[in-house]
Amino acid sequence: MHELSIATAIIERAGELARADGTDAVAAVTVRVGELAGVVPDALGFAFEVARGGTALAAARLVVEQVPAQAYCGPCAEEFPVGMPPFFWCPRCDHPSAELRRGRELEITGIEPVPAST
């Protein structure tokens, strides 16, 4: 399950970003995961829960934003979903697409610090 190594990398990077912002604890991490990134969101969530123990993200939740795969057809300028399994033929003009516009993302897009006690 490579999601465990991905979760570990997310935890390490989110911890670094939090420390750079002067925060010791993280409440949530938001990640964008593309449909064709080769990551199973449920498995990533489980791996995140396992790997976060003993870190600045020990109580953090993982928020996964799923990004559908979209291709672009140059001949007719159509952007279309490729689905799973991916199908790169333009539904409008029946030409193959060589340009994937979205769907391979795997990135941290936000970190929510634990609110400071008053």
Side-chain angles (χ1 to χ4, degrees):
M1 175 164 99
H2 73 280
E3 281 83 0
L4 183 57
S5 62
I6 293 168
T8 301
I10 290 169
I11 290 164
E12 289 173 1
R13 183 64 181 142
E16 291 169 2
L17 293 169
R19 285 188 297 279
D21 284 343
T23 301
D24 289 332
V26 175
V29 179
T30 302
V31 296
R32 289 173 43 93
V33 177
E35 183 177 21
L36 301 178
V39 176
V40 177
D42 289 341
L44 180 60
F46 177 76
F48 183 85
E49 288 182 21
V50 169
R52 70 184 179 183
T55 72
L57 285 81
R61 69 186 188 286
L62 181 67
V63 179
V64 177
E65 296 175 352
Q66 296 183 14
V67 180
Q70 295 279 318
Y72 177 77
C73 177
C76 74
E78 177 79 9
E79 191 169 293
F80 60 93
V82 299
M84 273 310 273
F87 187 72
F88 289 93
W89 286 89
C90 178
R92 184 172 173 194
C93 72
D94 201 32
H95 282 90
S97 171
E99 185 179 343
L100 183 64
R101 292 242 166 129
R102 283 182 293 286
R104 295 194 46 94
E105 296 85 344
L106 181 55
E107 59 191 356
I108 296 172
T109 59
I111 297 171
E112 180 185 323
V114 171
S117 299
T118 55

